[in-house]
Amino acid sequence: MTPISFVSLPNEMILQIASDTDDSSLLSLILCSRSLYNLLEPVLDIRAMAPRGDLSAMQWAAVRGYLGLVHRLIMHDVHPDTGATDTEPPAVRHAVEARNLQMVELLIIFGADINSLSYKICGNEAVIHVAAANGDSDMIELLVSYGANISANLDEIYDRTPLYVAVWNGHVSAVQTLLELGADVYEDGDSELLVEIAESVACSEVGATGLWDRMAKIGELLVQAGADVREVSSSDRFPDAPRNVEFLGIMVAAQQRATWGA
């Protein structure tokens, strides 16, 4: 029997075979020839737009980092926020968590809402809170350049800005980036960031030099940005412990330098 080339089969038969193949095999078929690509491209598009479990195709592509698939979905007028609910984050959130700058920028350009507070974990987070929690300075800069609210609060219950999140997670670079971009240490009116740091220092183990160094540096950055050292020394939450006395001394010296330019 003479072998028959796959491309010589009737189109209806090729389409039937393609419909029963997995995604990897379908892609291999499409790459075989231009004629197969033209015939099977609509099948690929239908596959691309199908949800994957609880995720929309857009969310799934963001999780996996598939830029090509996101491009294809956008070409078919699929909105970047498709599939987002109160319990399932939008694609841009997945991309921020994955630190995928290219993916995040693509989603933003085509309409992803980066200031939405619809994802409920510990209150409502915007994606800039996620970047701050990760200590991802590059992501913070990208998000702010596209209009992310640098003063966004988690919600009316968890009144925490991205700066607070970065401070609490001990990310020196992220704190510095947020301050340079205009974050206000008194955004909440009666900021207690320095007090929070002092508590963290008090709770740290004696050998936890990494945490101590980070928190001391963050404290200096906040003082240079206008935080008042007196908030710490006058607070009844300030523990009277040797490490905290040392911390306070560092903060006072930083405030003097900021005031006198020394």
Side-chain angles (χ1 to χ4, degrees):
M1 181 181 293
T2 303
I4 300 176
S5 169
F6 182 77
V7 295
S8 67
L9 294 173
N11 287 347
E12 293 79 5
M13 186 175 293
I14 292 175
L15 288 170
Q16 182 60 50
I17 293 172
S19 67
D20 295 330
T21 62
D22 58 35
D23 291 346
S24 178
S25 299
L26 178 61
L27 182 59
S28 297
L29 286 174
I30 285 175
L31 295 176
C32 284
S33 71
R34 171 62 63 178
S35 61
L36 283 178
Y37 179 87
N38 292 335
L39 177 64
L40 298 178
E41 184 180 18
V43 179
L44 184 63
D45 288 339
I46 292 171
R47 293 270 187 97
M49 288 183 281
R52 270 75 167 179
D54 294 332
L55 300 178
S56 69
M58 186 67 76
Q59 291 165 310
W60 184 81
V63 169
R64 296 299 185 94
Y66 293 156
L67 280 168
L69 179 53
V70 170
H71 272 288
R72 196 170 198 87
L73 292 167
I74 289 171
M75 293 273 293
H76 286 274
D77 297 323
V78 178
H79 193 277
D81 292 338
T82 298
T85 66
D86 282 347
T87 57
E88 185 57 53
V92 69
R93 158 90 187 221
H94 290 296
V96 169
E97 287 180 335
R99 302 172 184 260
N100 192 330
L101 291 167
Q102 195 174 1
M103 178 72 77
V104 170
E105 186 165 26
L106 175 64
L107 292 167
I108 292 172
I109 288 172
F110 285 96
D113 183 358
I114 56 175
N115 287 315
S116 170
L117 297 174
S118 61
Y119 183 38
K120 297 179 179 178
I121 290 295
C122 58
N124 293 330
E125 296 176 306
V127 291
I128 192 170
H129 290 105
V130 179
N134 287 343
D136 193 340
S137 296
D138 291 337
M139 187 66 73
I140 290 169
E141 289 182 355
L142 176 68
L143 292 171
V144 173
S145 73
Y146 279 100
N149 182 6
I150 202 169
S151 302
N153 281 318
L154 292 179
D155 62 18
E156 65 277 4
I157 299 174
Y158 299 93
D159 191 23
R160 300 294 183 253
T161 63
L163 178 61
Y164 184 98
V165 172
V167 166
W168 188 243
N169 284 277
H171 295 309
V172 177
S173 177
V175 170
Q176 185 167 5
T177 297
L178 286 162
L179 291 172
E180 289 173 351
L181 291 172
D184 187 352
V185 294
Y186 286 101
E187 186 64 42
D188 300 329
D190 56 346
S191 170
E192 291 190 329
L193 282 175
L194 283 177
V195 179
E196 298 284 357
I197 294 175
E199 287 188 323
S200 179
V201 170
C203 292
S204 67
E205 298 178 3
V206 174
T209 55
L211 173 63
W212 164 259
D213 292 341
R214 290 198 308 274
M215 288 307 186
K217 179 59 178 176
I218 288 173
E220 288 186 86
L221 289 171
L222 294 173
V223 168
Q224 291 166 8
D228 194 337
V229 175
R230 288 172 298 181
E231 288 183 358
V232 177
S233 58
S234 64
S235 174
D236 57 9
R237 294 166 56 192
F238 179 68
D240 185 16
R243 302 200 88 193
N244 290 83
V245 173
E246 183 182 354
F247 175 83
L248 182 59
I250 293 172
M251 297 306 99
V252 169
Q255 190 158 57
Q256 289 174 343
R257 289 195 300 271
T259 301
W260 299 336

